[in-house]
Amino acid sequence: MKTLKELEEIRQRALESVNLRKERNGTRVVVGMGTCGIAAGARPVLLAFLEEVKKRNLQDVIVTQTGCIGVCRLEPMAEVYRPGEEKVTYVKLTPEKVRRIVAEHIVNGRPVTEFTIGAADQQ
Amino acid sequence: MELYRAHVLVCGGTGCTSSGSPAIIDKFNEELEKHNIKNEVKVVRTGCFGLCEVGPVVIVYPEGAFYSRVKAEDVPEIVEEHLVKGRIVKRLLYHDSIAQDQTIKSLDEVGFYKKQMRIALRNCGIIDPENIEEYIAMDGYKALAKVLTEMTPEQVIEVVKASGLRGRGGAGFPTGLKWEFTRKAPGDKKYVCCNADEGDPGAFMDRSILEGDPHSVIEAMAIAGYAVGADQGYIYVRAEYPIAVKRLTIAIAQAREYGLLGKDIFGTGFNFDIELRLGAGAFVCGEETALMASIEGKRGEPRPRPPFPAIKGVFSKPTLLNNVETYANIPPIILKGPEWFSSIGTERSKGTKVFALGGKINNTGLVEVPMGTTLREIVYDIGGGIPGGKKFKAAQTGGPSGGCIPAQHLDTPIDYESLIQIGSMMGSGGLIIMDEDTCMVDIARFFLDFTVSESCGKCPPCRIGTKRMLEILDRIVSGKGQEGDIEKLELLAKNIKAAALCGLGQTAPNPVLSTIRYFRDEYEAHIKEKRCPAGVCQALLRYVIIAELCKGCGLCARNCPVGAISGERKKPYSIDADKCIKCGVCIEKCPFNAIKKQ
């Protein structure tokens, strides 16, 4: 090790590998991964969330999963919990929709209403 | 870099390893492979989480689900339910981690961790000890970088002095002062040593730090090397700690590979390297002068001090010797500043102390609390109290050099001075809890027996004196105690304390003295009434049949191996005390609980 910069680079790189292991109060994204969700394509959706979070280096966002949320016909679904706000349920997700949700809702705080369960019900 | 959505942390401390955590790790890898999610879930083997009682322990992040007593057979369920479907396996959760509303409490909220403050153990159970990058991620080697590039050695020593850190090996000597003495000692070749020869019965905190976070010790030793002007370090660790030895070996090799040990560290021209020295597990080798003799390849025997190691240590050169836990505190002190550290703890004892909690306590394990926490908080809030609702009788601190703390001192804040005042000492941090079924004379005998067999034999007070004390105690527990034995013990103790060569001999009588001080009545009961109040000392026990409870079935008589029980059927039986060998078979066989030890 010759420089402090080198140490800091390793630290930044390695931080991602341990970052998951702490208690957090930030945003939680929960992807429905019951049989119905998985069959409808929840895995690419989950991976898209992870990739976006990593790409944007969002420190306080965790992506996790749950079983069947209950409206199987609208899968793949995900719920976004932000501290102090009501949960938002997104339905019929695709990796493309995920990218918009991360950019508009998780980063900028504006839910993408057209992808939510409320919008889907009105159709 | 793989994208992981979950981390599975499996405890790889000695406790959990021996109760099967390696098989759990293998099973996780196998099951993850089977479900094709190996690239989404990372399995990490960590150091000790502390709650050894309920091991093997597995924590799954990001939920922070704390699974206890996990068996390899449980792994498929965890993978299938939790990692694939996202449903936490409640039956395996640690009982205290489910809140009343059925949600999962975070680890900090669990009773065992709530009152703890982890400084020395900061990374234990969180990082993979065999991966230097995970240590670096937790700000590892940042303190070393800081001292080498921003501070003079004198400034480093000032910071350590100002923090108020005192030696965690037991005696509590101010660490900064020790560093200063070594720096000021004349001579250009100096050494930095780490005492990892943990030998107290019931103590395992140094082992857990070495196993869970070896780099913190390596980093601190390099910092110390810079501060005192040394370029060579030795870690003296006992060979009975194979996991610690293995992880240290890996950690030293990684540090060298990353250029954090070796020549010209951070391009500052500072050189420092560390070698391991394995001890054969002689208790006396934990004494500093004996330890240094052993490092040199000589027989591990103490020598008189002065000269102190700071003046004349390893290979007769000035040597700094600190204990594992002391070193583990150094990097956070450098990074967060001495004011942060000295704001924790009491007036004269700063920071935290790690205790190995054992004996008659629900949560056996490793705890780190701020100095000044009371024994009651440790026993009841963190330790979860005494099993079976029994009464607390005493806590033994400081191993064979320490003493007992009786129930009336439960509210004493634990720091160096308070413990000395009540006739015990901090010691390295073994904390053995005893309940009402413990015989204090027997406990004193146990510790003295340890010292007698571990005495190096160099000085007569320790070699002969402790042996004589043990003989008296043997006599007392076997029912042959004589009037005046207590006084004889006290006199011997006083002389051994005054005359022994090293700290081990000088403190060897402590367990006897402190039990006499607080439990003299038990000694007297053994000597005068030939009775063991706790019902432990075999020779003093009598087995009797309680006539009112005996139905006269004769089962006891048929099972007695020496024919000591006789009677008529349907009438109370009786035991012939002269023939009875106190094997306890009759108690086990009696269906009416009619036989008691007295």
Side-chain angles (χ1 to χ4, degrees):
Chain A
M1 187 89 44
K2 290 300 167 211
T3 62
L4 295 184
K5 207 171 133 251
E6 247 177 286
L7 184 72
E8 187 54 30
E9 277 166 18
I10 298 174
R11 197 180 79 86
Q12 281 302 335
R13 184 174 79 214
L15 198 57
E16 284 171 23
S17 75
V18 292
N19 205 16
L20 208 53
R21 294 171 223 161
K22 59 179 186 209
E23 308 293 341
R24 258 175 290 208
N25 314 311
T27 304
R28 254 164 63 88
V29 179
V30 183
V31 182
M33 300 269 283
T35 305
C36 48
I38 294 171
R43 191 160 297 282
V45 168
L46 176 84
L47 294 176
F49 269 115
L50 286 170
E51 268 163 40
E52 281 302 300
V53 167
K54 181 182 154 71
K55 203 157 71 191
R56 292 166 182 273
N57 199 15
L58 303 176
Q59 295 290 333
D60 227 23
V61 176
I62 63 170
V63 180
T64 173
Q65 51 173 347
T66 183
C68 176
I69 296 177
V71 201
C72 308
R73 65 190 170 92
L74 297 177
E75 293 280 3
M77 295 169 62
E79 293 175 327
V80 174
Y81 297 82
R82 283 163 52 93
E85 291 174 23
E86 253 179 67
K87 105 179 154 188
V88 178
T89 305
Y90 289 106
V91 299
K92 293 189 178 171
L93 287 174
T94 61
E96 290 67 42
K97 287 182 179 175
V98 166
R99 294 197 176 91
R100 263 191 67 193
I101 292 168
V102 173
E104 293 182 25
H105 187 180
I106 296 176
V107 176
N108 292 316
R110 287 191 309 270
V112 190
T113 39
E114 57 199 280
F115 300 159
T116 60
I117 192 163
D121 274 353
Q122 279 160 18
Q123 282 169 12
Chain B
M1 184 106 195
E2 295 282 350
L3 264 175
Y4 294 108
R5 62 176 169 82
H7 286 186
V8 175
L9 272 60
V10 183
C11 178
T14 292
C16 288
T17 299
S18 59
S19 55
S21 68
I24 292 172
I25 295 175
D26 292 346
K27 193 75 184 165
F28 263 112
N29 285 326
E30 187 186 307
E31 288 293 311
L32 292 174
E33 186 92 57
K34 205 160 41 179
H35 287 91
N36 210 9
I37 49 173
K38 214 172 172 184
N39 54 353
E40 292 172 32
V41 180
K42 184 178 184 179
V43 181
V44 185
R45 181 208 36 237
T46 69
C48 181
F49 286 99
L51 250 178
C52 310
E53 177 71 24
V54 297
V57 170
V58 173
I59 301 189
V60 180
Y61 283 103
E63 293 88 353
F66 189 101
Y67 294 120
S68 61
R69 293 190 214 272
V70 177
K71 295 191 208 65
E73 302 94 271
D74 298 324
V75 172
E77 188 179 348
I78 298 177
V79 173
E80 174 113 17
E81 284 295 304
H82 188 154
L83 296 169
V84 175
K85 296 181 188 154
R87 292 194 289 242
I88 285 168
V89 186
K90 286 211 169 132
R91 74 174 177 91
L92 292 171
L93 283 181
Y94 174 55
H95 65 88
D96 194 17
S97 70
I98 308 172
Q100 293 212 312
D101 60 354
Q102 292 296 302
T103 56
I104 299 178
K105 289 194 244 177
S106 75
L107 267 193
D108 307 338
E109 286 298 306
V110 170
F112 180 75
Y113 291 103
K114 214 177 195 166
K115 289 206 168 172
Q116 291 198 47
M117 177 168 193
R118 289 158 82 93
I119 298 176
L121 298 177
R122 64 195 176 280
N123 293 327
C124 286
I126 296 170
I127 63 167
D128 178 352
E130 296 183 14
N131 183 342
I132 190 172
E133 296 212 354
E134 294 209 346
Y135 179 69
I136 292 174
M138 309 305 272
D139 291 337
Y141 291 104
K142 219 172 163 179
L144 177 63
K146 185 176 171 187
V147 302
L148 292 185
T149 56
E150 296 171 21
M151 297 166 80
T152 64
E154 288 79 10
Q155 282 171 331
V156 177
I157 291 173
E158 276 316 308
V159 167
V160 178
K161 271 165 85 178
S163 73
L165 177 66
R166 294 169 65 176
R168 296 294 192 250
F173 189 80
T175 305
L177 219 51
K178 211 179 206 179
W179 289 29
E180 190 173 45
F181 290 154
T182 317
R183 167 145 199 99
K184 287 189 174 155
D188 43 5
K189 181 76 182 172
K190 292 175 186 176
Y191 293 99
V192 167
C193 294
C194 173
N195 184 349
D197 189 75
E198 186 174 52
D200 290 17
F204 51 90
M205 47 273 139
D206 291 347
R207 185 189 73 202
S208 298
I209 294 172
L210 294 174
E211 284 173 1
D213 195 14
H215 285 286
S216 67
V217 175
I218 294 171
E219 181 183 7
M221 287 178 71
I223 292 170
Y226 175 69
V228 304
D231 63 356
Q232 177 66 50
Y234 293 106
I235 300 178
Y236 189 88
V237 55
R238 40 176 58 206
E240 288 109 314
Y241 283 180
I243 301 177
V245 171
K246 176 177 159 232
R247 298 215 175 126
L248 274 172
T249 310
I250 293 172
I252 291 172
Q254 284 178 343
R256 280 184 193 142
E257 188 191 321
Y258 278 68
L260 295 161
L261 284 179
K263 298 235 176 290
D264 195 21
I265 300 169
F266 286 115
T268 58
F270 172 66
N271 306 328
F272 189 78
D273 209 341
I274 293 176
E275 279 180 41
L276 286 187
R277 286 287 181 269
L278 301 194
F283 185 61
V284 71
C285 287
E287 200 280 336
E288 57 180 12
T289 56
L291 183 146
M292 291 185 305
S294 185
I295 287 180
E296 293 171 9
K298 296 182 194 142
R299 191 184 165 120
E301 283 183 343
R303 61 159 174 82
R305 298 171 307 176
F308 287 93
I311 306 296
K312 199 174 171 203
V314 180
F315 303 114
S316 299
K317 305 287 183 202
T319 299
L320 175 75
L321 178 67
N322 285 134
N323 150 279
V324 173
E325 192 188 333
T326 317
Y327 280 126
N329 278 296
I330 296 288
I333 290 175
I334 300 286
L335 288 178
K336 296 184 180 179
E339 302 79 18
W340 163 77
F341 191 79
S342 61
S343 69
I344 304 159
T346 63
E347 172 90 46
R348 295 180 62 194
S349 302
K350 301 298 186 191
T352 56
K353 177 77 192 96
V354 183
F355 290 100
L357 204 51
K360 303 287 178 62
I361 184 114
N362 278 317
N363 296 331
T364 322
L366 209 59
V367 305
E368 180 169 357
V369 290
M371 294 275 190
T373 305
T374 65
L375 190 57
R376 187 184 299 279
E377 286 173 289
I378 296 178
V379 173
Y380 290 98
D381 299 345
I382 299 171
I386 317 281
K390 296 240 162 116
K391 253 173 48 201
F392 171 90
K393 185 169 191 178
Q396 220 281 346
T397 69
S401 319
C404 289
I405 307 174
Q408 71 256 36
H409 290 306
L410 262 175
D411 289 308
T412 307
I414 297 197
D415 61 32
Y416 292 99
E417 275 73 30
S418 314
L419 286 183
I420 300 258
Q421 228 169 47
I422 55 176
S424 186
M425 64 182 276
M426 186 74 81
S428 52
L431 192 58
I432 301 167
I433 308 301
M434 295 173 245
D435 68 5
E436 51 192 298
D437 294 340
T438 315
C439 169
M440 301 313 286
V441 186
D442 188 52
I443 285 293
R445 207 197 69 86
F446 168 81
F447 279 105
L448 204 63
D449 189 38
F450 178 85
T451 332
V452 167
S453 52
E454 289 285 343
S455 170
C456 79
K458 188 172 180 178
C459 73
C462 178
R463 183 181 68 238
I464 304 172
T466 56
K467 177 80 181 158
R468 293 291 91 85
M469 286 181 77
L470 182 64
E471 285 165 2
I472 297 177
L473 286 173
D474 276 335
R475 197 158 77 203
I476 296 176
V477 298
S478 62
K480 301 189 185 96
Q482 302 158 3
E483 280 292 334
D485 272 353
I486 300 179
E487 291 70 26
K488 250 183 223 158
L489 281 172
E490 286 174 328
L491 183 70
L492 272 165
K494 202 177 120 208
N495 287 327
I496 294 170
K497 276 172 90 91
L501 170 61
C502 79
L504 300 189
Q506 287 154 12
T507 56
N510 283 355
V512 181
L513 286 178
S514 87
T515 46
I516 292 180
R517 173 168 171 183
Y518 293 114
F519 300 95
R520 199 181 186 102
D521 53 330
E522 283 194 33
Y523 278 85
E524 282 167 354
H526 280 77
I527 296 169
K528 293 183 186 151
E529 301 162 36
K530 308 290 178 219
R531 187 173 66 82
C532 175
V536 172
C537 298
Q538 283 290 333
L540 296 175
L541 291 181
R542 281 165 53 97
Y543 284 64
V544 289
I545 296 177
I546 298 165
E548 299 87 76
L549 295 175
C550 180
K551 301 268 190 283
C553 68
L555 204 56
C556 53
R558 280 202 298 285
N559 281 288
C560 178
V562 291
I565 306 180
S566 56
E568 269 175 66
R569 283 184 70 83
K570 306 247 163 114
K571 282 187 184 156
Y573 277 56
S574 64
I575 301 177
D576 180 349
D578 291 337
K579 281 192 193 160
C580 175
I581 54 164
K582 297 159 189 170
C583 63
V585 168
C586 52
I587 293 191
E588 264 169 50
K589 296 289 177 189
C590 178
F592 310 109
N593 290 325
I595 306 176
K596 292 271 178 304
K597 290 193 272 187
Q598 269 181 3

